Amino acid sequence: MGTSQSREDYITDSDYEEESESEESSQYDDAPETTSSPSSSSSQPGTKTLNSLDEVDAKLKSLKLKYPIPKNPNLKNPVKLYRHIGGNTPTAKWVVSDKITSYSFVKTQKFYGGNDSDDDEENENSDFGDGFWVLKVGSKVRAKISTDIQLKMFGDQRRVDFVSNSVWALKFPSDPEYRKFVTEFQDCLFENVHGLRATEENKVKVYGKDFIGWVKPEAADDSMWEDADDGVGKSPEYVTPVRGNRHLLEEFEELANGGVQSLALGALDNSFLVSDLGVQVYKNFNNGIHNKGVSVRFDGGSSQIGSNSTPKKAMLMRGETNMMLMSPMKEGKPHASGIKQLDIETGKIVTEWKFEKDGADITMRDITNDTKGSQLDPSESTFLGLDDNRLCQWDMRDRGGIVQNLLNGDSSVLNWNQGHQFSKGTNFQCFASTGDGSIVVGSLDGKIRLYSKTSMRQAKTAFPGLGSPITQVDVTYDGKWILGTTDTYLVLICTLFTDKDGKTKTGFGGRMGNKIPAPRLLKLTPLDSHLAGTDNKFHGGHFSWVTEGGKQERHLVATVGKFSVVWDFQQVKNSAHDCYRGQQGLKSCYCYKILLKDESIVQSRFMHDKFAVTDSPEAPLVVATPLKVSSISLSGRQ
């Protein structure tokens, strides 16, 4: 279970040998370029003479003589290039790929990746024109500047790691050279993302004058992060990623019926898996969920959901006795024209609801409960809906008093209780509710908006985007913390601020002014990002589940490929945490635990806090793959 750390955290020149051609081809099969010995093309078997300077050089290199590295005072931007080989195997290690080379940032109109060195359309350190910035290191690395390369800084080592087909590390000869590189990289990233030069004026233009923490993280006020802890607990002592089963105790694993689409955890007796075939019922226990052997099939009759419209979204309601099932109209698109209400106790679809406003059919891309705990309310009759440019509350009570007749194919129309149709361009993607019914919405442009429980028309606070679409958003029960998921990182935001009267509030209840704390980023190390696979993206970031005032969520979990990644919440909030030392820009945390499964993970969610046991600080983590469901307890031992 998990992956090995593979000596990722420290590089010393004396410990790592020079990269040989045999190592490059045999120990790292996914190399971006395959090279052979310079003499291989001209020397035939049996040839004993060296016919070129290249062959002489290759022969000397093979001897690995320990001579001092010559200094080249005329070399611009000198660096030492390392490459990580062996993946997560016991033989994994860093090797020297180039003892001395140089890097440059170039702007180009095209990009082929690999070691393409065609510079005909490139302008080194250009400040003008269209195109995008690329990092070039010697002839071996050519990477587009983006969050995809997962740059990680090691200030104390004057080193950065990143991913570009392989995992690379650059070591700089001096601290000024290191800081120069990091500053230029961040400026190029800003320009690639926002299409503007990274001037102070443009940064304020993008982020807004109130968000000084986004513009200058080093000048941000982090005091709210510490105040928000309320003295609950201390940051754990470990500061490096902990992997393996030392702190992850897998209790059991069970087969699921059909391809799992979503997971609906209950806080009462049962939880549910929605698959291609139907809804499978599980019993909740302190050590996880157990299959009860009960299921509701989608092909059980005319009133059931047809097999050609498998639900992608399931939401529990009315004391967890009912489930709302939403199926997309088109494959690959989340939008739905209505929902179906399943009575869990009878196993039948009791109502089919249409989304309609002012007599016209509309769609929804997501639904959620009114509050964090409203699924436990047996009298619940309303829920929230979200579309690209709509935020609303639906009411299931039939104002006309007409009883729906499913046998005649009737569909009831949900009542638009409150909400707002925004002008085009908001591009809402996801949303979540707090314990008191406040709403947080994530957008395609990366913005995160906060709406109070009394108004859906205008956001109280709108946090600027960092350039990546928000694909999932969650919020703590008390509304103090927001977690946004993007493809390559998670963003954690503190909503607390002090108003003009000296009172501490959240951004749901008022405008936060110009002292908004800078966010924190949660990332994978370049090595783990590479192991997760280039096609795998973060999804489903969530806090652990609390529905009681005064209790604090303990962990955060997200999924990427076959990994469930868990961060300790208290550790992330600790400004003195070792991860943050020597970093420039927004603080990024790399301290997490990984659970590795045999297939891609559909969803990872913590059970309700009531199912935590004494030897674990957290309720079990439930991990659903297309064919299995696992329950894992996090050990309290550090």
Side-chain angles (χ1 to χ4, degrees):
M1 184 174 2
T3 58
S4 65
Q5 192 165 330
S6 305
R7 303 167 74 181
E8 183 255 7
D9 284 339
Y10 201 78
I11 291 180
T12 58
D13 292 345
S14 60
D15 290 342
Y16 298 89
E17 68 264 25
E18 187 173 356
E19 180 176 28
S20 68
E21 309 303 338
S22 61
E23 284 175 332
E24 189 169 356
S25 61
S26 65
Q27 296 195 43
Y28 219 125
D29 295 334
D30 58 352
E33 64 274 351
T34 302
T35 60
S36 58
S37 170
S39 62
S40 61
S41 60
S42 58
S43 297
Q44 303 298 323
T47 302
K48 296 183 179 180
T49 58
L50 300 177
N51 298 321
S52 70
L53 289 176
D54 287 342
E55 293 178 69
V56 173
D57 183 58
K59 185 65 176 177
L60 290 174
K61 282 185 176 180
S62 68
L63 297 176
K64 295 185 179 179
L65 301 176
K66 302 298 182 181
Y67 293 116
I69 301 173
K71 303 294 183 182
N72 184 351
N74 297 319
L75 186 64
K76 185 179 180 181
N77 299 330
V79 289
K80 192 170 187 177
L81 179 65
Y82 293 82
R83 186 177 183 173
H84 195 278
I85 63 173
N88 64 341
T89 66
T91 58
K93 59 184 176 182
W94 289 100
V95 294
V96 177
S97 187
D98 272 326
K99 287 184 177 179
I100 185 167
T101 185
S102 64
Y103 74 87
S104 61
F105 294 101
V106 295
K107 182 173 277 191
T108 180
Q109 301 284 345
K110 60 183 180 179
F111 182 68
Y112 301 112
N115 61 348
D116 179 15
S117 58
D118 184 3
D119 295 344
D120 290 344
E121 298 184 25
E122 295 177 350
N123 298 304
E124 186 172 339
N125 297 324
S126 169
D127 291 329
F128 307 100
D130 298 327
F132 49 85
W133 289 102
V134 169
L135 168 64
K136 295 184 68 174
V137 185
S139 62
K140 295 185 177 181
V141 176
R142 190 169 186 265
K144 182 179 178 180
I145 304 298
S146 72
T147 57
D148 289 343
I149 73 174
Q150 298 285 4
L151 188 85
K152 181 180 180 182
M153 292 172 269
F154 297 83
D156 58 337
Q157 299 182 51
R158 306 190 307 276
R159 162 191 161 202
V160 296
D161 294 2
F162 61 94
V163 180
S164 177
N165 295 317
S166 296
V167 182
W168 305 91
L170 299 179
K171 290 197 74 174
F172 300 85
S174 66
D175 188 65
E177 287 283 351
Y178 161 78
R179 295 191 176 278
K180 172 190 171 187
F181 172 91
V182 172
T183 300
E184 289 187 21
F185 176 90
Q186 292 176 336
D187 287 349
C188 291
L189 178 61
F190 180 90
E191 187 169 342
N192 278 358
V193 168
H194 300 289
L196 298 170
R197 290 183 58 191
T199 63
E200 295 302 311
E201 181 181 0
N202 283 338
K203 288 179 181 179
V204 172
K205 180 179 179 181
V206 168
Y207 297 132
K209 61 181 180 180
D210 291 338
F211 292 88
I212 189 67
W214 272 253
V215 179
K216 297 180 178 180
E218 65 280 0
D221 182 5
D222 278 349
S223 61
M224 281 299 180
W225 285 79
E226 307 304 328
D227 293 343
D229 291 346
D230 292 331
V232 179
K234 295 182 179 179
S235 179
E237 293 182 359
Y238 64 84
V239 293
T240 56
V242 180
R243 304 175 177 90
N245 59 10
R246 187 159 59 97
H247 300 304
L248 290 170
L249 307 178
E250 187 162 350
E251 299 295 340
F252 51 82
E253 185 176 71
E254 299 186 45
L255 293 176
N257 292 333
V260 173
Q261 299 293 333
S262 63
L263 174 67
L265 290 179
L268 301 177
D269 293 334
N270 300 314
S271 289
F272 308 88
L273 279 181
V274 180
S275 69
D276 294 336
L277 301 179
V279 177
Q280 197 168 349
V281 185
Y282 286 76
K283 181 73 173 176
N284 290 333
F285 292 96
N286 287 102
N287 61 351
I289 63 175
H290 298 253
N291 191 352
K292 293 179 65 174
V294 178
S295 62
V296 179
R297 294 185 62 86
F298 291 154
D299 56 359
S302 61
S303 65
Q304 302 303 306
I305 299 176
S307 59
N308 62 343
S309 57
T310 301
K312 304 295 184 183
K313 174 76 177 184
M315 180 183 71
L316 292 172
M317 286 188 67
R318 294 185 171 175
E320 300 183 355
T321 63
N322 280 228
M323 180 182 292
M324 311 306 290
L325 297 167
M326 191 165 77
S327 304
M329 294 186 297
K330 296 181 181 179
E331 188 65 31
K333 299 287 186 179
H335 306 79
S337 60
I339 56 175
K340 302 190 179 184
Q341 182 180 352
L342 172 68
D343 186 307
I344 295 170
E345 296 176 342
T346 64
K348 295 185 180 297
I349 301 295
V350 295
T351 311
E352 297 182 11
W353 298 96
K354 287 176 58 178
F355 297 126
E356 184 180 294
K357 185 178 187 297
D358 299 330
D361 292 342
I362 62 174
T363 61
M364 291 281 111
R365 69 177 297 135
D366 200 4
I367 56 174
T368 195
N369 298 102
D370 284 346
T371 72
K372 277 279 188 182
S374 61
Q375 72 184 57
L376 302 175
D377 181 0
S379 63
E380 180 185 25
S381 61
T382 59
F383 62 91
L384 302 174
L386 183 81
D387 204 28
D388 295 358
N389 300 297
R390 298 184 185 99
L391 176 62
C392 62
Q393 184 186 56
W394 295 106
D395 193 334
M396 298 163 60
R397 289 168 292 196
D398 195 329
R399 293 175 183 172
I402 301 173
V403 178
Q404 180 192 31
N405 187 346
L406 282 175
L407 296 178
N408 294 333
D410 293 341
S411 290
S412 292
V413 176
L414 287 163
N415 297 302
W416 178 286
N417 198 41
Q418 62 170 316
H420 188 63
Q421 171 84 40
F422 295 87
S423 61
K424 293 183 179 180
T426 52
N427 289 318
F428 293 152
Q429 299 290 296
C430 49
F431 69 151
S433 56
T434 67
D436 70 357
S438 299
I439 307 167
V440 54
V441 182
S443 300
L444 187 64
D445 59 4
K447 287 184 178 179
I448 293 178
R449 297 173 172 88
L450 309 187
Y451 295 87
S452 72
K453 61 183 178 180
T454 58
S455 174
M456 299 182 184
R457 181 171 293 273
Q458 185 174 15
K460 290 291 187 180
T461 302
F463 295 102
L466 297 174
S468 299
I470 302 296
T471 60
Q472 178 78 36
V473 71
D474 196 16
V475 59
T476 56
Y477 184 82
D478 58 17
K480 294 179 180 179
W481 305 94
I482 293 169
L483 182 67
T485 305
T486 76
D487 287 348
T488 53
Y489 59 86
L490 309 182
V491 56
L492 181 66
I493 296 174
C494 177
T495 71
L496 290 177
F497 73 102
T498 303
D499 68 8
K500 60 182 180 180
D501 298 324
K503 296 180 180 179
T504 300
K505 296 181 178 179
T506 71
F508 293 99
R511 299 194 176 278
M512 296 182 67
N514 59 3
K515 292 186 178 180
I516 301 173
R520 305 270 164 90
L521 305 183
L522 311 182
K523 298 180 179 180
L524 291 179
T525 65
L527 175 58
D528 283 336
S529 177
H530 185 63
L531 294 173
T534 54
D535 295 330
N536 291 314
K537 309 298 183 183
F538 270 123
H539 64 90
H542 282 279
F543 294 100
S544 51
W545 189 11
V546 172
T547 57
E548 183 178 339
K551 283 200 172 185
Q552 180 66 70
E553 293 80 355
R554 297 185 182 91
H555 290 91
L556 311 97
V557 62
T559 298
V560 53
K562 299 178 181 180
F563 293 165
S564 287
V565 189
V566 180
W567 281 266
D568 186 293
F569 194 15
Q570 288 295 124
Q571 189 177 43
V572 173
K573 289 186 287 187
N574 182 3
S575 295
H577 174 42
D578 280 6
C579 256
Y580 303 139
R581 295 177 185 172
Q583 291 190 16
Q584 290 179 232
L586 295 176
K587 294 178 179 178
S588 298
C589 182
Y590 299 91
C591 291
Y592 46 74
K593 302 173 184 178
I594 282 182
L595 173 68
L596 173 64
K597 304 302 292 182
D598 295 331
E599 53 184 344
S600 293
I601 296 170
V602 175
Q603 206 166 356
S604 302
R605 294 289 301 272
F606 282 100
M607 295 182 68
H608 191 271
D609 184 65
K610 65 182 282 187
F611 294 106
V613 292
T614 55
D615 60 349
S616 172
E618 186 65 270
L621 177 68
V622 178
V623 179
T625 65
L627 299 178
K628 296 178 181 178
V629 58
S630 306
S631 298
I632 303 99
S633 294
L634 273 67
S635 170
R637 301 189 303 272
Q638 297 297 339

